[in-house]
Amino acid sequence: MDLNYKLKENYYLQLQLYFAKDDGRVRKQIIRGTFVWFIILSVFSIFAFRGFDNPFSYFFPLAALLSLIFSPYRIKESIFKNYQEAVKVYKNEFGKDVNLKIDDVYIYLVDIDKEVKFKIETVETIIETGKFYYIKLQTNSIFIPKDELEDVNQIKEELLILSQKLNVNYKSDLDWKW
């Protein structure tokens, strides 16, 4: 297999988001953050409750309930922004043309500056989403953007054959969304 594509910031971002959500980190952060906001606002509502003539006796219980509804969205948006900032460390890679080559022994990633090779036996999982193929290695992950491929079905067949040859899981997650 021999592929050429251009590296984009969104590709790095989607890779990070996929694996963060897939391993459950995002869900844990959302649940923990929502619970913390609810507890804090509930404690304030207990202290504010000195009688119904106090306006805060209505505000904090209502805010606590609303936090259960809106905090997950706010926290998810915050996590997304954090990952957007985190992928900026790869800014020197954005816009580079890369060649991905897979043979019987190595996976090669070659761009204008460097060549990186990984042993083929370090492949743990091959994942297909709606917009990407991900090759998860023991120490790293490689993305293959579908929108830059000429024949997506041929690449899929080759990756299926590779997963069978290496006896690794091929995961189809076509409906994945952040």
Side-chain angles (χ1 to χ4, degrees):
M1 180 184 320
D2 196 3
L3 303 170
N4 293 303
Y5 53 92
K6 188 178 288 284
L7 300 175
K8 297 179 183 174
E9 180 177 2
N10 187 49
Y11 298 165
Y12 287 94
L13 177 62
Q14 294 301 314
L15 175 78
Q16 298 293 327
L17 293 174
Y18 179 82
F19 285 110
K21 189 174 181 183
D22 188 55
D23 74 2
R25 281 182 282 165
V26 171
R27 181 175 166 78
K28 288 177 187 175
Q29 285 178 308
I30 289 171
I31 290 170
R32 188 180 312 122
T34 301
F35 184 70
V36 166
W37 276 110
F38 178 74
I39 294 298
I40 289 170
L41 291 169
S42 294
V43 167
F44 277 122
S45 67
I46 290 169
F47 287 121
F49 188 72
R50 296 208 197 317
F52 289 107
D53 58 338
N54 185 348
F56 288 113
S57 62
Y58 296 108
F59 173 76
F60 285 113
L62 180 63
L65 290 175
L66 290 175
S67 74
L68 289 175
I69 296 169
F70 295 110
S71 285
Y73 300 108
R74 185 191 57 78
I75 293 167
K76 189 174 179 180
E77 183 180 313
S78 175
I79 292 169
F80 182 84
K81 287 179 181 177
N82 288 340
Y83 277 104
Q84 273 184 319
E85 287 301 313
V87 298
K88 299 236 188 268
V89 298
Y90 302 109
K91 68 182 174 190
N92 294 334
E93 304 297 319
F94 304 155
K96 288 184 180 178
D97 291 319
V98 67
N99 175 262
L100 172 70
K101 182 178 177 185
I102 301 175
D103 64 23
D104 292 335
V105 181
Y106 291 105
I107 299 173
Y108 300 93
L109 278 172
V110 181
D111 66 29
I112 197 166
D113 297 333
K114 63 187 171 301
E115 177 180 329
V116 181
K117 65 181 181 179
F118 304 97
K119 288 189 176 183
I120 197 80
E121 61 260 11
T122 63
V123 173
E124 291 183 343
T125 309
I126 299 174
I127 303 159
E128 178 184 7
T129 66
K131 296 183 179 182
F132 293 92
Y133 292 107
Y134 297 120
I135 301 173
K136 185 174 183 195
L137 308 171
Q138 290 172 353
T139 59
N140 211 334
S141 295
I142 299 170
F143 55 81
I144 303 171
K146 288 182 176 180
D147 64 348
E148 294 204 27
L149 301 177
E150 292 178 19
D151 190 357
V152 175
N153 292 327
Q154 178 190 357
I155 302 303
K156 180 178 182 171
E157 288 176 24
E158 290 181 33
L159 290 172
L160 281 167
I161 291 168
L162 179 65
S163 73
Q164 291 170 351
K165 181 178 142 187
L166 296 173
N167 197 25
V168 297
N169 187 27
Y170 184 94
K171 181 179 176 184
S172 183
D173 201 357
L174 298 174
D175 294 331
W176 181 84
K177 291 181 183 167
W178 169 245

